[in-house]
Amino acid sequence: MGLLDIVPSGVITGDNVKKLFDYAQEHKFAIPAINCTSSSTVNAALEAARDQKSPLIIQFSNGGAAFYAGKGIDNKDQHASILGSIAGAYHVRAVAKHYGVPVVLHSDHCAKELLPWLDGMLAADEVYFKEHGEPLFSSHMIDLSADSKEYNIATTKEYFERCAPMKLWLEMEIGITGGEEDGVNNESADKDALYTPSEDVYEVYEALSPIAPYFSIAAAFGNVHGVYKPGNVVLRPELLEQHQKFVKDKISCKSKHPLYLVFHGGSGSSAEEIKTAVNNGVVKMNVDTDTQFAYLAGVRDFVLDNQDRLMKQVGDLSKGEDDTTPNKKYYDPRNWIRHGEKAMYKRVQQANSDLGNAGTL
């Protein structure tokens, strides 16, 4: 029995998300969460998953969502970010099933100052739920890790109580992911804050589990957004096993992995670090920096390889002024954008392979 015997293709929600994560833990793989900023990046990620027979998580960050809506739209009161997230969600829902893979539709880090963005997406979820019996999105992330633990857990609980009636998954962060991403800067964070104590993880579980089972925890184990020189980031994925055992002993459950854990700052991680994290119950790993660079590299290489054709509409500079060959097939965006998609496609497939997610359908 494969995954498609358990959950359908297309955007999945509620119990199907839980079934996916349970299946991932049982079969020791995790799903990459690909940050997307356009229909082009969404399509590249979906194509890669289809061809590798893998489930996928498509996610939009606050800034990525605003870009999706268009830089010409004012983001006052998170207007563009709300609009872009919803537009992206409808695009994913329109095409995902045609790629034949299960897709979790997710929104990324939402810090305290961005909560109006989350409120706007939840309002869209509620409208969609009334009409279709499921939310527009599969899941959202709330990230109040920069605030006090008490505020973080209490506010997350309030939002989870709003999500639960729709069986809408909620991811939260306890402990800080270092570095900088999408305007959220933790580059000066205290190093001790990059490693979450098991007691804090249990406090989250204790607060959320009575409400519903549809939640995951991004517990920090030295994670940093971005890619850095070797030695500058010290990941300790073995801490995740301690978290699982601590909660297991507290609640006296039979499951080895009572927690659904998330790996942030995954770009640049070694294969061994990823494997250890997955073996300790990680079901989702964020991938952004590496796919951004891959997309750029595809476009960059095409431009460099064809620069004599891209300096003007007619003629190849290397052949002199007498050449009158049209260059439209070179500068047509469908050409050079496609080269970005192809390079991103390869990097998404590498993430699937690293996480053991290839061929899991």
Side-chain angles (χ1 to χ4, degrees), residues 166-192:
M166 296 182 281
K167 294 187 176 181
L168 178 58
W169 199 274
L170 188 65
E171 176 186 330
M172 68 85 66
E173 183 163 336
I174 188 83
I176 291 175
T177 300
E180 189 275 338
E181 182 179 59
D182 203 30
V184 179
N185 194 322
N186 289 324
E187 291 176 310
S188 60
D190 182 78
K191 288 188 176 180
D192 289 341

Side-chain angles (χ1 to χ4, degrees), residues 44 59 62 84 120 157 182-183 191 199 227 243-244 286 290 348 352 356:
Q59 63 184 22
N62 179 268
K157 181 180 178 181
D182 203 30
K191 288 188 176 180
E199 290 81 2
V227 176
H243 300 335
Q244 297 282 15
N286 287 10
D290 286 346
V348 172
N352 277 328

Side-chain angles (χ1 to χ4, degrees), residues 134-192:
E134 66 176 1
L136 176 61
F137 288 83
S138 311
S139 62
H140 296 294
M141 182 190 181
I142 185 169
D143 179 6
L144 305 176
S145 57
D147 299 279
S148 71
K149 179 178 68 175
E150 292 73 21
Y151 175 81
N152 183 358
I153 295 175
T155 306
T156 296
K157 181 180 178 181
E158 289 178 9
Y159 274 92
F160 193 43
E161 287 170 339
R162 183 176 177 183
C163 293
M166 296 182 281
K167 294 187 176 181
L168 178 58
W169 199 274
L170 188 65
E171 176 186 330
M172 68 85 66
E173 183 163 336
I174 188 83
I176 291 175
T177 300
E180 189 275 338
E181 182 179 59
D182 203 30
V184 179
N185 194 322
N186 289 324
E187 291 176 310
S188 60
D190 182 78
K191 288 188 176 180
D192 289 341

Side-chain angles (χ1 to χ4, degrees), residues 13-69:
T13 61
D15 290 323
N16 282 329
V17 175
K18 186 177 185 302
K19 288 176 184 177
L20 169 62
F21 290 160
D22 286 339
Y23 187 88
Q25 285 189 336
E26 180 185 352
H27 292 84
K28 290 185 168 49
F29 70 89
I31 302 102
I34 309 300
N35 279 77
C36 294
T37 56
S38 64
S39 59
S40 172
T41 53
V42 167
N43 296 346
L46 287 169
E47 184 181 0
R50 179 200 66 195
D51 291 350
Q52 222 170 9
K53 295 180 170 55
S54 307
L56 184 69
I57 300 172
I58 295 286
Q59 63 184 22
F60 301 107
S61 67
N62 179 268
F67 185 84
Y68 206 108

Side-chain angles (χ1 to χ4, degrees), residues 16 51 162 167 178 239 255 259-260 301:
N16 282 329
D51 291 350
R162 183 176 177 183
K167 294 187 176 181
L239 291 176
S255 173
L259 304 170
Y260 301 103
D301 292 349

Side-chain angles (χ1 to χ4, degrees), residues 96 180 198 252 288 325:
E180 189 275 338
S198 294
S252 300
D288 186 15
T325 308

Side-chain angles (χ1 to χ4, degrees), residues 79-350:
H79 175 65
S81 292
I82 294 168
L83 183 63
S85 298
I86 294 170
Y90 274 100
H91 171 74
V92 174
R93 278 193 169 272
V95 301
K97 192 166 186 177
H98 299 277
Y99 284 90
V101 299
V103 176
V104 175
L105 181 53
H106 181 69
S107 64
D108 203 5
H109 293 267
C110 181
K112 183 179 182 179
E113 63 271 20
L114 303 179
L115 286 175
W117 171 48
L118 179 55
D119 291 333
M121 290 186 290
L122 286 173
D125 284 316
E126 288 161 345
V127 169
Y128 196 91
F129 182 81
K130 286 181 181 178
E131 185 175 349
H132 301 281
E134 66 176 1
L136 176 61
F137 288 83
S138 311
S139 62
H140 296 294
M141 182 190 181
I142 185 169
D143 179 6
L144 305 176
S145 57
D147 299 279
S148 71
K149 179 178 68 175
E150 292 73 21
Y151 175 81
N152 183 358
I153 295 175
T155 306
T156 296
K157 181 180 178 181
E158 289 178 9
Y159 274 92
F160 193 43
E161 287 170 339
R162 183 176 177 183
C163 293
M166 296 182 281
K167 294 187 176 181
L168 178 58
W169 199 274
L170 188 65
E171 176 186 330
M172 68 85 66
E173 183 163 336
I174 188 83
I176 291 175
T177 300
E180 189 275 338
E181 182 179 59
D182 203 30
V184 179
N185 194 322
N186 289 324
E187 291 176 310
S188 60
D190 182 78
K191 288 188 176 180
D192 289 341
L194 301 181
Y195 302 94
T196 306
S198 294
E199 290 81 2
D200 290 359
V201 175
Y202 177 64
E203 282 191 52
V204 174
Y205 181 88
E206 196 174 28
L208 302 185
S209 59
I211 301 170
Y214 312 112
F215 68 94
S216 51
I217 302 173
F221 54 97
N223 319 61
V224 176
H225 287 131
V227 176
Y228 298 84
K229 290 182 179 179
N232 286 8
V233 176
V234 181
L235 286 178
R236 295 183 59 198
E238 70 276 5
L239 291 176
L240 303 178
E241 182 180 16
Q242 295 179 24
H243 300 335
Q244 297 282 15
K245 187 177 185 305
F246 188 89
V247 173
K248 180 180 186 296
D249 291 344
K250 281 284 188 181
I251 65 176
S252 300
C253 76
K254 293 181 180 180
S255 173
K256 183 181 178 182
H257 295 144
L259 304 170
Y260 301 103
L261 297 175
V262 176
F263 188 163
H264 283 197
S267 294
S269 302
S270 72
E272 189 59 34
E273 288 166 338
I274 293 171
K275 182 178 179 181
T276 301
V278 171
N279 286 340
N280 290 328
V282 162
V283 295
K284 169 181 179 279
M285 186 178 85
N286 287 10
V287 182
D288 186 15
T289 304
D290 286 346
T291 45
Q292 286 180 340
F293 186 77
Y295 194 101
L296 164 69
V299 175
R300 177 201 65 202
D301 292 349
F302 175 79
V303 171
L304 292 175
D305 290 344
N306 297 280
Q307 54 187 327
D308 289 334
R309 286 285 190 184
L310 294 172
M311 300 305 293
K312 55 183 184 176
Q313 287 184 292
V314 176
D316 185 335
L317 290 181
S318 68
K319 296 180 179 179
E321 292 298 322
D322 292 335
D323 184 68
T324 58
T325 308
N327 292 325
K328 186 179 187 306
K329 67 180 181 180
Y330 293 92
Y331 62 76
D332 186 328
R334 290 171 295 182
N335 193 347
W336 51 267
I337 285 176
R338 181 58 178 162
H339 280 76
E341 292 176 352
K342 287 179 178 179
M344 180 177 167
Y345 167 105
K346 292 178 180 178
R347 187 58 188 83
V348 172
Q349 291 203 331
Q350 180 186 329

